[in-house]
Each structure stands twice: as structure tokens, then as C-alpha cells.
Amino acid sequence: MKAFYAEEQKRHDPKAFLSSGAARPNPEQPERVERLLAGAKAAGCEIVRPRNHGLGPVAAVHTPEYLDFLEHIYTRWQRIDGASAEVIPNIHPIARSGSYPASAVGQAGYHMADTACPISGETWQSALWSAWSAVEAAEVVMSGAPAAYALCRPPGHHAFADVAGGFCFINNSAVAAQVLRRTASRVAILDVDLHHGNGTQGIFYARPDVLTVSLHADPVRFYPFFWGHADERGEGAGLGYNFNLPLPRKSTDAAFLEALEVAFQRIHAFSPDALVVALGLDAFEGDPFGGLSVTTPGFARIGEAIAKLGLPTVIVQEGGYLCDELGDNLTAFLTGFGGKSR
Ligand SMILES: [Zn+2]
């Protein structure tokens, strides 16, 4: 299958990250791209550079004030005397009921959920090209390809309509789903990342046309904490169109595949015309986050199981962090899904 990726996606190079309050190197490193490219190639993918698709497909799921913020905040931040090299928030509104702040510091707190998504001079372009990889993968599937892979980096599923968070800026999976909606009446998003896809859930929470399903480590003691619980089912017209399957920490292949079957029942009942797989590989037993215990052969079985749904599928890269097996895990998933034969 085709795999979409642009060199610009590698330029974003975040340095800072706070974990349980401690400063650590940011795990969302450009090196991830090399491992994932090698993994995609080993699965027989043809690597294709996406075109510039403009702001339209991104603006379809993000607010204009947020996109303006992402584009310009780094330049504005540099004008602040003594400011950090990267844009990192240090104050947040505890509710969104107050005024929209005019200052760069205030807006950083308004639009950034945590300290894991520092913004440098390269971030905006990297995030845009990452989204365009998703756009083009969706377009190829709309044109009749059974599947396409978008090597999206930076990732996207923690980004809400107007909030960055957890290494994510533009929600690539949501962008892909919205592009698919041009021809598909109903689109399902299946998020198999270790972490709950809270941004994706948030974007479609009140909509019945996009079903959001997420399997992830139970957020009761895991990021993103405030979302991903089983009782979050959607709201308004979207009530019943969000489905969360939190898993106990260190769940193995068998438990993951069992939960996947439950997810498939919901997807089947929704009867979608197309599927987006938010493919995090951080559920891996050797991933630095260590939340779940999926094995490399497990990813092949997950890919195989998803392929059996028989839906036109856009595979969007989400998490999965530096470990020796990162590329192998992608190869396993894509090969299980259909790899060389599709
Ligand atoms: Zn993740």
C-alpha cells in the first residue's frame, strides 16, 4: 500500500517534557520517523510525498483562533523578555468560562493542555505536513485503494478542536475522517494507541456521523486521566457514538484482541462506509511508556483482525516511542493487515 510522509515532518524537535513533575527529554523524537519509515518499507509500502493541501482540511476540524495561535505563537513568544526557547504553558484556565486572553502566555495556557507539546519555530510546518499526509491517504482510499498508511508525525489524537496536548497539535485522524466524510456517510475511527484518543473523542463527541472507539490503558491512573472512561458515551446527537474500552495496565495480546472484538461489534452495528485506524504502537510491551503488554506478533494479529472488517481503511500513525522494535511493530501491523498483497 501507499505510505504518505514529507521530510518537513521531521523538523519539529521538541526538547522539554515534564513527567510526574520531573524534567525529562521529550520522547516524541524525530528519530521515530526513521524507524517508522524503515518499518513501512519492510512491509512493502511505497513511500509517497503528499501535496500541500492548504488549511481547508485542517480548518474543518480545528477552530480558526487555534490555527492562528499555532501558526504565530512561536514568533510572538520570542518577543517576550526572558521567555523559554520553546513555547511551554505555565498557567491554564481551570474552566473555559473566562475571557479569551490577548497575551501570548495566556493563549499558550488556553490552547495547550500540558507541557508535553512544546512549540518551536518548526512545529507549525511539521504539524501541517503531518496532517497533509493524512489528507492524501484519505483521498487515495476515497479513490478506491483498499487502504493507505499516513506516517503522521507529530501525532494527533490528543489534539482537540482548539487545544494541543500530549505531543499532538493537529488531529490527523480527525482530519482523515472528515476528508472521508466527503463521500462516506458514516466513518468509524478505531484508536488502538496505548493512550485514550481524547482529542478525537472531543472533536466528534456531539456528532452521530463519526463513531469514535478507543482501546487504551485505563486512565484511572494513566494519561490523559480526565478522559477515556467507559461512561463517556457522547452527547446530544452524538450520544451513543463514542465507545471507550479501558484496559487494565499490562494487558497482554489476548486481552487486547478480546477487547478488539467488542469494538468490532460496535463498529459493525454502526455500519460505516470507511474506517480510520489511529495506530499507536505504544501498547507494545517494550515501549518506554510501559502501559500495556502487546507483543510484536500481537500487532500482526491486530492488523489481521482489523483487515477482516473489510472496510476502506486509512491507517494514521499516532504514538509509539523509541525502542528497538518500533519499526518491526509497524511492519508486523501492516503485514498482518495485508501488507505486500494490498
Ligand atoms: Zn500514545
Side-chain angles (χ1 to χ4, degrees), residues 37-263:
L37 273 177
K41 284 175 189 164
C45 287
E46 173 198 354
I47 312 296
V48 181
R49 180 182 168 81
R51 299 186 310 278
N52 175 331
H53 290 269
L55 272 186
V58 174
V61 296
H62 290 286
T63 66
E65 68 185 10
Y66 175 61
L67 294 178
D68 184 72
F69 165 83
L70 282 184
E71 185 173 1
H72 300 293
I73 188 62
Y74 178 74
T75 309
R76 294 169 59 204
W77 195 261
Q78 298 317 303
R79 295 190 200 118
I80 303 171
D81 207 19
S84 55
E86 300 176 303
V87 180
I88 299 169
N90 55 261
I91 180 169
H92 301 276
I94 53 170
R96 281 311 213 26
S97 53
S99 298
Y100 183 68
S103 86
V105 172
Q107 286 180 10
Y110 190 91
H111 289 299
M112 298 167 85
D114 51 50
T115 57
C117 48
I119 295 174
S120 71
E122 305 287 354
T123 304
W124 170 242
Q125 282 297 320
S126 285
L128 263 186
W129 282 99
S130 186
W132 291 336
S133 286
V135 170
E136 204 137 327
E139 287 189 350
V140 161
V141 167
M142 285 162 68
S143 308
Y149 169 64
L151 200 171
C152 290
R153 188 275 165 181
H157 74 152
H158 296 308
F160 286 75
D162 64 352
V163 180
F167 317 140
C168 301
F169 305 92
I170 296 173
N171 194 314
N172 308 303
S173 291
V175 167
Q178 191 63 36
V179 168
L180 289 169
R181 278 284 289 107
R182 292 176 196 161
T183 56
S185 306
R186 289 179 306 285
V187 176
I189 302 177
L190 173 62
D191 190 319
V192 297
D193 188 280
L194 165 65
H195 304 95
H196 174 243
N198 56 334
T200 316
Q201 168 175 303
I203 287 170
F204 297 110
Y205 209 53
R207 285 174 51 171
D209 58 327
V210 178
L211 173 72
T212 44
V213 179
S214 183
L215 283 72
H216 46 267
D218 194 329
V220 69
R221 284 189 184 79
F222 206 68
Y223 188 92
F225 302 103
F226 314 110
W227 303 274
H229 304 275
D231 60 355
E232 296 157 26
R233 300 174 51 243
E235 66 184 9
L239 185 64
Y241 295 87
N242 185 78
F243 189 44
N244 287 328
L245 286 156
L247 298 163
R249 290 285 286 277
K250 303 289 180 190
S251 285
T252 58
D253 292 348
F256 200 95
L257 287 158
E258 203 173 303
L260 203 54
E261 288 302 323
V262 179

